[in-house]
Amino acid sequence: MEAWAEEKERIRSASSVLLLTDCDGTLVEFKDSPSLVELPDAGRHLLRELNCLPRLSVGVVSGRGILDLIGCVGIPGLWYVGNHGYEIQAPDGAYMPFYDPGEVNYLQAIARELSHATRDIP
């Protein structure tokens, strides 16, 4: 409890604060398929309200790809961190990938190969 009191004071006195939250399992419930996940209106409203606070920047982090994450949350002006940090989109829309495009082709080839090799496994 003593450590939390110290952290609260640091947050109160900071000129700016970045609040990052996870998406799946935190903002939204887990579903059988990630495509079925939808951010509840109350969560969307809260994120918008928090993002309007003058000293606060809000971001959502996920293992999802950045476009999937943005589609799930759908709030302009947030920080979006996808693929466990390999992709970031700033509130102004600037996109920053932290991988070489050739790596995507390599991973897609592995996915195709694994899909083909396991096609007969239920």
Side-chain angles (χ1 to χ4, degrees):
M1 206 52 138
E2 189 177 311
W4 176 238
E6 185 179 318
E7 289 306 312
K8 285 194 313 188
E9 184 52 39
R10 288 181 65 198
I11 292 168
R12 280 191 190 112
S13 64
S15 61
S16 62
V17 175
L18 174 61
L19 173 68
L20 295 172
T21 182
D22 185 42
C23 184
D24 294 286
T26 302
L27 291 177
V28 298
E29 293 183 24
F30 288 112
K31 300 280 184 177
D32 289 339
S33 171
S35 64
L36 299 175
V37 170
E38 186 176 327
L39 180 62
D41 289 339
R44 184 170 280 109
H45 177 74
L46 178 60
L47 289 174
R48 282 190 179 118
E49 291 293 312
L50 288 169
N51 203 43
C52 288
L53 296 174
R55 295 182 316 116
L56 190 65
S57 295
V58 179
V60 182
V61 181
S62 180
R64 293 170 178 261
I66 198 99
L67 294 177
D68 189 18
L69 176 60
I70 293 168
C72 180
V73 176
I75 301 172
L78 300 183
W79 285 94
Y80 287 99
V81 181
N83 280 313
H84 304 286
Y86 278 99
E87 303 177 280
I88 296 177
Q89 180 173 302
D92 66 2
Y95 174 70
M96 298 161 271
F98 294 94
Y99 56 85
D100 182 276
E103 294 171 338
V104 174
N105 296 333
Y106 176 69
L107 291 174
Q108 288 173 339
I110 290 172
R112 282 191 301 274
E113 189 175 321
L114 285 172
S115 178
H116 179 75
T118 60
R119 69 182 178 278
D120 295 330
I121 300 173

